[in-house]
Amino acid sequence: MTSPLAYEKVWFEKCRYDEAERSYFEKLAKGSSNIPLKNSLAGEVAKVRQHIQNSLECMDGIAALATNVNVEIVNRLNTVERKNQELTSLVSDLQSVVKQLESRVKTLESQNNIKSSAPVTSKTAPAPTPSKAAKADDNDVDLFASDSDGESESVKKVKEEAAAAASKKKSKKQELIQKSIIILDVKPWDDETDMKEMEKNVRKINTDGLLWGASKLVPLAYGIHKLQISCVVEDEKVSIDWLQEAIEEIQDYVQSVDIAAFNKV
């Protein structure tokens, strides 16, 4: 009878193979562990170097940026300082101008106060000097003023005539011619009245003591104008009523006459 193990594959030296396999893997593990350690150390050193280089580059960039910022700040500070000096000088100039104006205003106010407080002195009008005519009259009157008992009748007669002539001259000079300035409103019949012809007819009225002056047309209403004319009359020679009647007699042109102004000369 055969043994049952004859049909089975039995590995009687397995322990030897296990030992060999274990030693192989140990050697393999030792060799593989040395290689990554070296590689990892070099990589770390390279990383540190790269980090240091990057840091140095960043520091250089920061330094350059700081330099640019510092230059810009310095320029701005210089500009602000220059403008501040200009403003300071301008303010000082304005202060000096204001002081000058204040001094001038004070001077003017003091002058005005002095003028207002000064007493008002009324100027007396100079005494009127006698006119040449009055002197001549006085000479005429004083003629033969020295009287004596031994004068003849002819001398007395001459004196009386001279005195009469002097008194006559005085009376003539004392007589003043009274005149008046009159402005008349001459109204036409309608707007078809020829105002030029009306003015011509009015000016045709002429008499001693009447002097016509300026004239103008003044609008009334609905295209109608009135003739406003001025004249100077001597009161003793020309009557105002007569003048109005004389103008109203121009019936072809004149409707009515009114006195707009009346003044004594």
Side-chain angles (χ1 to χ4, degrees), residues 10-224:
V10 179
W11 192 1
F12 294 102
E13 297 180 354
K14 184 177 182 302
C15 60
R16 293 176 61 185
Y17 284 102
D18 291 336
E19 185 68 22
E21 186 178 3
R22 185 177 59 78
S23 62
Y24 172 75
F25 280 110
E26 286 179 357
K27 291 180 180 179
L28 185 63
K30 289 180 180 179
S32 62
S33 62
N34 292 330
I35 292 169
L37 182 60
K38 293 179 181 178
N39 292 334
S40 62
L41 183 60
E44 291 295 329
V45 170
K47 287 180 180 179
V48 170
R49 287 180 178 175
Q50 185 68 32
H51 182 68
I52 292 170
Q53 188 175 1
N54 292 334
S55 299
L56 291 174
E57 289 178 356
C58 289
M59 290 300 293
D60 292 337
I62 292 170
L65 181 61
T67 303
N68 293 330
V69 171
N70 289 332
V71 170
E72 187 176 358
I73 291 172
V74 169
N75 292 331
R76 288 186 177 180
L77 287 175
N78 291 330
T79 304
V80 171
E81 189 173 355
R82 187 175 65 254
K83 289 184 177 180
N84 191 12
Q85 292 177 356
E86 292 176 356
L87 288 174
T88 303
S89 62
L90 181 60
V91 169
S92 62
D93 294 338
L94 288 174
Q95 287 178 350
S96 62
V97 170
V98 169
K99 288 181 180 178
Q100 292 177 1
L101 288 174
E102 287 179 353
S103 62
R104 290 183 65 183
V105 168
K106 288 180 180 178
T107 305
L108 292 173
E109 286 180 353
S110 62
Q111 291 178 357
N112 289 331
N113 291 330
I114 291 170
K115 288 181 179 179
S116 60
S117 61
V120 179
T121 57
S122 59
K123 295 182 179 180
T124 58
T129 57
S131 61
K132 293 181 180 180
K135 289 181 179 179
D137 294 339
D138 293 338
N139 293 332
D140 293 340
V141 172
D142 293 336
L143 185 63
F144 306 115
S146 61
D147 192 5
S148 63
D149 296 334
E151 288 181 347
S152 61
E153 293 292 332
S154 60
V155 174
K156 289 182 180 181
K157 189 176 181 181
V158 171
K159 285 175 67 177
E160 290 175 358
E161 290 178 356
S167 62
K168 188 177 181 180
K169 284 182 181 179
K170 282 187 177 181
S171 63
K172 285 184 178 180
K173 288 178 181 179
Q174 288 176 358
E175 290 178 357
L176 297 176
I177 300 173
Q178 298 293 329
K179 293 183 179 180
S180 301
I181 298 175
I182 306 170
I183 298 176
L184 300 172
D185 285 342
V186 184
K187 297 177 182 178
W189 290 103
D190 51 24
D191 58 342
E192 295 180 356
T193 303
D194 193 347
M195 301 302 292
K196 291 183 179 180
E197 290 295 328
M198 185 173 70
E199 183 179 356
K200 286 181 182 180
N201 284 277
V202 170
R203 289 183 182 275
K204 285 179 181 179
I205 299 172
N206 191 10
T207 185
D208 187 18
L210 173 62
L211 179 64
W212 294 106
S215 64
K216 64 178 180 179
L217 296 178
V218 180
L220 287 174
Y222 305 104
I224 301 174

